[in-house]
Amino acid sequence: MPAVTATSAVTSDDLRRYVELLGHADADGAVDLVTELLARGVDPVTVLLDLVAPAQESVGERWASGRWSIGQEHAATSISDQVVAAVADRCRRTPTRGEIVVACVDGEWHALPARLFAEVIRLHGWSVRFLGASVPAAHLVTYLQRHDLRAVALSCSVADRLPRARRVIEAVAMTGVPLLAGGRGFGPEARWALRLGADAAAVGAREAVDILASWPAAWRPHGDPPPPVDDEHELVARRRSALVEAAGSALDTGFPGLRRSLTGPARSTLDESLGQLVDFLVAALLVDDVDLFTDFVAWTARILGTRDVPPASVDAVLGTYAAALYDFPRAQAQLAAGRRIL
Ligand code: B12
């Protein structure tokens, strides 16, 4: 392996400059910066994974801590999208391997992580058809029937989409086309993807490149996934609206004036979190992993905390859900674990 020289890596100064340009919504400046890096000899995959991806993480952190508005985050992401397109344009490759379709799970709007992954594998010689955000299972299946593709790469960034990911994975399995699943929504080491029946899984694009190179040897060809433990996830999902309504009333009773006192974005973050807590509970029940739920509870408390919403209100919401779901033993256990970490 050749030694990495100072000029062939992305430096912390490059990253700082790039995030600053995103903060100023300076698209030309951002494209100029990556053009400069490519001219300096930085590998395009390094630009994508060591500049654009960590910068986007930092964008997420700034939004989470309330330092950046949603508008700033949207502007930054749109610029990173332009930057990825610019890298793709300046670094074209003649495909030497098969054709792969990359799509996001139905309801998953994080297209940029999937796009980064798609460009990385394209730079490694794969021919890529990129279908973008939120592709419903039926449309994906129709597409597979019309094109002769080597594999499907399914992207999921947020774990509350796992029930839909399961439907997509099951539908693709019927077509016989192998499916590689990836993205942070599939959990640590993408373990929930295998639980839902994916043939192979990876969190990051770099490991996925190795997995694709080893295709099909390292893949689990349509092995039957273990069935869900029971149907609690479906029964809880059906009660979503009633649960959210009960939680809203509990907040208004237990924390009078709280919701009215919040500004627009903080208020909508709190209101959305009521449904998201149910969605993550459903996903955690589906893959039977309490960490999925407790991690989200901790995340919610942190996000709401930076928006002046007390953690006790999250506890009150979980308490309301626990009372309403008294006859669901696994949901009870998850909710109790969620309340313990608050
Ligand atoms: C931009 C952004 C958005 C944009 C997305 C626009 C777009 N074009 O992508 C919009 C505004 C739509 C959005 C919406 C939401 N977002 Co958002 N978003 C982000 C942000 C800031 C950047 C995303 C990004 O570009 N990441 C790029 C890199 C960093 O992602 P990556 O996962 O490392 O990508 C690699 C791997 O995942 C892998 N990979 C990806 N796909 C695949 C596929 C395969 C097969 C393989 C093998 C690998 C692979 O390859 C990539 C390169 O290595 C992230 C912050 C973050 N840390 O990512 C939050 C973040 C993901 N969002 C978050 C949230 C909560 C939401 C919302 C729920 C907010 C809301 N209240 O509405 C919604 C959900 C929408 C939905 N249902 O999908 C949270 C998730 C928290 C959690 N606990 O899960 C994050 C982490 C923000 C935060 N810091 O808290 N978001």
Side-chain angles (χ1 to χ4, degrees):
M1 209 180 191
V4 177
T5 65
T7 53
S8 66
V10 170
T11 65
S12 53
D13 192 45
D14 298 327
L15 184 56
R16 191 190 46 73
R17 274 173 65 202
Y18 183 75
V19 174
E20 234 169 68
L21 291 163
L22 294 184
H24 292 119
D26 184 350
D28 290 345
V31 172
D32 288 349
L33 172 59
V34 297
T35 307
E36 180 193 313
L37 293 182
L38 293 171
R40 206 168 82 190
V42 180
D43 179 71
V45 171
T46 306
V47 171
L48 297 175
L49 298 184
D50 297 345
L51 180 81
V52 181
Q56 284 297 117
E57 270 187 60
S58 158
V59 168
E61 200 38 54
R62 282 156 202 254
W63 167 78
S65 62
R67 279 179 291 156
W68 277 18
S69 67
I70 289 192
Q72 274 178 296
E73 177 266 302
H74 279 35
T77 303
S78 145
I79 292 171
S80 284
D81 220 22
Q82 292 174 53
V83 162
V84 175
V87 172
D89 188 51
R90 284 162 179 64
C91 309
R92 296 194 186 174
R93 295 278 187 276
T94 308
T96 51
R97 300 172 190 244
E99 203 166 20
I100 293 186
V101 62
V102 178
C104 292
V105 165
D106 186 10
E108 174 61 75
W109 294 102
H110 293 95
L112 187 57
R115 178 86 204 273
L116 283 168
F117 162 78
E119 290 309 328
V120 168
I121 62 170
R122 196 183 56 75
L123 286 161
H124 281 87
W126 295 93
S127 168
V128 178
R129 288 173 183 245
F130 184 65
L131 303 195
S134 187
V135 183
H139 297 316
L140 184 55
V141 166
T142 307
Y143 196 81
L144 296 177
Q145 284 160 348
R146 293 191 187 161
H147 304 275
D148 184 21
L149 296 155
R150 175 73 77 91
V152 172
L154 185 67
S155 177
C156 179
S157 287
V158 187
D160 62 349
R161 305 290 123 184
L162 290 179
R164 295 195 200 197
R166 179 182 172 219
R167 286 198 280 280
V168 177
I169 291 170
E170 283 176 357
V172 170
M174 307 284 280
T175 69
V177 180
L179 182 144
L180 167 69
R184 293 169 191 227
F186 284 116
E189 293 95 45
R191 63 177 185 237
W192 301 322
L194 297 175
R195 180 89 183 69
L196 298 180
D199 302 298
V203 178
R206 283 198 169 97
E207 352 151 22
V209 166
D210 296 337
I211 293 178
L212 284 170
S214 72
W215 187 91
W219 294 47
R220 189 180 70 170
H222 299 310
D224 286 335
V229 181
D230 52 33
D231 59 359
E232 260 193 45
H233 62 283
E234 279 169 11
L235 298 172
V236 173
R238 275 186 223 152
R239 296 181 177 211
R240 187 185 196 273
S241 317
L243 288 166
V244 169
E245 205 179 308
S249 308
L251 281 184
D252 292 339
T253 314
F255 302 84
L258 171 67
R259 292 210 283 176
R260 267 199 317 280
S261 71
L262 296 172
T263 58
R267 167 79 195 250
S268 51
T269 304
L270 174 60
D271 286 345
E272 279 164 19
S273 71
L274 306 183
Q276 284 170 342
L277 284 164
V278 179
D279 297 336
F280 275 81
L281 175 61
V282 169
L285 291 169
L286 172 66
V287 296
D288 197 25
D289 194 330
V290 71
D291 292 346
L292 190 164
F293 186 62
T294 52
D295 285 355
F296 186 70
V297 171
W299 180 85
T300 303
R302 178 178 160 235
I303 297 290
L304 292 177
T306 58
R307 287 151 178 84
D308 297 328
V309 179
S313 62
V314 181
D315 185 60
V317 171
L318 299 187
T320 309
Y321 292 165
L325 299 171
Y326 65 90
D327 49 353
F328 293 95
R330 289 198 303 122
Q332 286 290 329
Q334 300 236 5
L335 288 162
R339 297 183 78 179
R340 274 198 301 278
I341 60 119
L342 281 172

